[in-house]
Amino acid sequence: MVMFPPIILSEFIFRDAPTHACHASTIAEVKPGELVAAWFGGTAESKPDVGIWVSRYSLGEWTKPVEVAKGNVDGKPKFACYNPVLFQPKNGPLLLFYKVGSGPAKWWGMMMRSTDGGGHWDKPNRLPEGILGPIKNPPIKVSGTLLCPSSSEDHGWRVHFESTRDFGKTWTSTGPVNDARSIDAIQPSILKLGGDHLRAIGRTRQGRLFAIDSPDLGETWGQMRLLDVPNPNAGTDAINLKDGRFLLVYNNSTSHRTPLTIAISEDAERWTPVLELEKEPGEFSYPTAIQTEDGKVHITYTWQRTRIRHVVVDPTKLGK
């Protein structure tokens, strides 16, 4: 369905749902004009039949979803899959990170690679013990390193950051950067603020988004704090825009996963809501956002736990 600016396009990735439920989408641009999206789907979240599904976009059409990973043990589905994260390096294969396990407190990290833009995938590899990979939102590239925003839920909600210089073969981790007592935080996004300054923001149980800063490209992190942006204990995503501004997609509420809103900021500190993507009752959640080579912003998100919606936005029309 074609919309009026700033929304250029709003569509479902699929209409004939391959599973009863779906959630936690991710999107990447593999070539100019070519996209790949992934999500988890099955009977219901945490059920053993929940796998990772992928669809590719080219020439204005999404391909039929294909299941590319399951939580199998000895060839049989035993554990659910969760939270895929796609990342396309400038030089290297398309990476697909995801989690497998009986729940967030006990899951482990997995990774697959594709050398043909998501058409075919290599054998899934389990990440090293204690490494989960990017937990919801994609890595950023800093000084030849993929810096992955991650978090754990086994000893309270704690954020940490993981790094790999060889596309997932070897890893290092910061360890937790919050104690989960004053702020329960997970699922960060990483923003570049200029120079070596980074800021991570994301989900909490405290009714507002958290922020935490690094002065040295993620080597060390300061004190976690709460932003003046509401959060109903739901996933968000934030990205740098090419024009120097920052874009946030989030649920503008302290209690519901609606409305789903875009906010813009000049400093990644003060955020101004500029567009509602969804405002009806229900769940519109877990957004992910990228800015493609042509400057457009592509957002995917969970629509009522039954569909994945894809929206294209002209960022030059936001906040004007």
Side-chain angles (χ1 to χ4, degrees):
M1 178 172 58
V2 177
M3 309 293 289
F4 294 103
I7 296 178
I8 300 169
L9 176 70
S10 180
E11 63 181 356
F12 291 120
I13 290 179
F14 54 85
R15 288 196 172 273
D16 296 325
T19 59
H20 178 74
C22 61
H23 191 41
S25 63
T26 177
I27 189 170
E29 183 179 38
V30 293
K31 293 179 181 179
E34 295 187 14
L35 307 170
V36 177
W39 59 91
F40 71 72
T43 303
E45 183 173 350
S46 80
K47 298 297 184 182
D49 69 340
V50 173
I52 303 299
W53 293 76
V54 166
S55 179
R56 294 179 294 145
Y57 181 88
S58 182
L59 300 177
E61 297 286 339
W62 288 99
T63 62
K64 183 178 179 180
V66 175
E67 189 175 35
V68 299
K70 292 189 75 69
N72 286 353
V73 175
D74 297 328
K76 297 180 181 180
K78 185 174 182 180
F79 295 106
C81 295
Y82 303 82
N83 292 20
V85 177
L86 288 165
F87 182 73
Q88 177 64 70
K90 286 188 177 180
N91 298 301
L94 175 65
L95 305 179
L96 171 61
F97 300 92
Y98 61 101
K99 276 59 70 183
V100 172
S102 58
K106 296 182 179 180
W107 62 24
W108 58 88
M110 300 288 292
M111 188 180 73
M112 302 168 67
R113 298 176 177 88
S114 172
T115 58
D116 63 357
H120 301 84
W121 296 89
D122 67 2
K123 183 180 177 181
N125 291 308
R126 184 165 176 168
L127 298 180
E129 186 70 25
I131 298 294
L132 295 173
I135 214 71
K136 177 194 173 292
N137 299 314
I140 64 167
K141 192 78 173 290
V142 290
S143 300
T145 298
L146 286 186
L147 180 63
C148 298
S150 196
S151 56
S152 59
E153 302 181 36
D154 53 344
H155 294 92
W157 281 18
R158 300 187 297 176
V159 167
H160 65 275
F161 299 88
E162 300 169 354
S163 299
T164 177
R165 288 184 171 273
D166 48 20
F167 301 123
K169 295 178 182 178
T170 60
W171 294 85
T172 59
S173 175
T174 62
V177 297
N178 65 302
D179 60 15
R181 289 193 293 268
S182 58
I183 301 177
D184 299 289
I186 55 173
Q187 299 174 353
S189 301
I190 306 175
L191 299 171
K192 297 180 179 180
L193 271 61
D196 293 344
H197 189 184
L198 303 178
R199 175 168 297 159
I201 65 175
R203 172 182 178 177
T204 77
R205 286 177 167 145
Q206 277 66 45
R208 291 188 284 164
L209 296 185
F210 78 82
I212 189 169
D213 288 17
S214 170
D216 49 19
L217 295 178
E219 292 290 328
T220 62
W221 294 84
Q223 184 72 28
M224 184 173 287
R225 56 198 171 82
L226 294 175
L227 293 173
D228 189 22
V229 181
N231 180 246
N233 187 10
T236 67
D237 198 10
I239 60 172
N240 287 74
L241 292 176
K242 295 177 181 180
D243 63 11
R245 298 180 298 164
F246 305 91
L247 181 145
L248 169 69
V249 193
Y250 69 113
N251 292 117
N252 191 11
S253 169
T254 58
S255 57
H256 295 88
R257 292 187 173 188
T258 186
L260 186 66
T261 303
I262 293 177
I264 293 291
S265 177
E266 300 286 345
D267 58 6
E269 180 74 26
R270 293 170 290 273
W271 295 89
T272 301
V274 294
L275 180 67
E276 286 188 341
L277 298 175
E278 302 280 359
K279 59 184 178 181
E280 301 300 320
E283 179 175 350
F284 310 101
S285 64
Y286 264 61
T288 186
I290 59 170
Q291 188 171 26
T292 49
E293 284 293 322
D294 62 5
K296 302 298 188 294
V297 171
H298 292 252
I299 300 166
T300 63
Y301 57 89
T302 298
W303 189 90
Q304 305 282 34
R305 292 275 179 155
T306 60
R307 299 286 189 277
I308 302 298
R309 190 180 279 281
H310 169 230
V311 176
V312 185
V313 175
D314 182 353
T316 67
K317 303 289 198 304
L318 293 172
K320 301 298 185 181

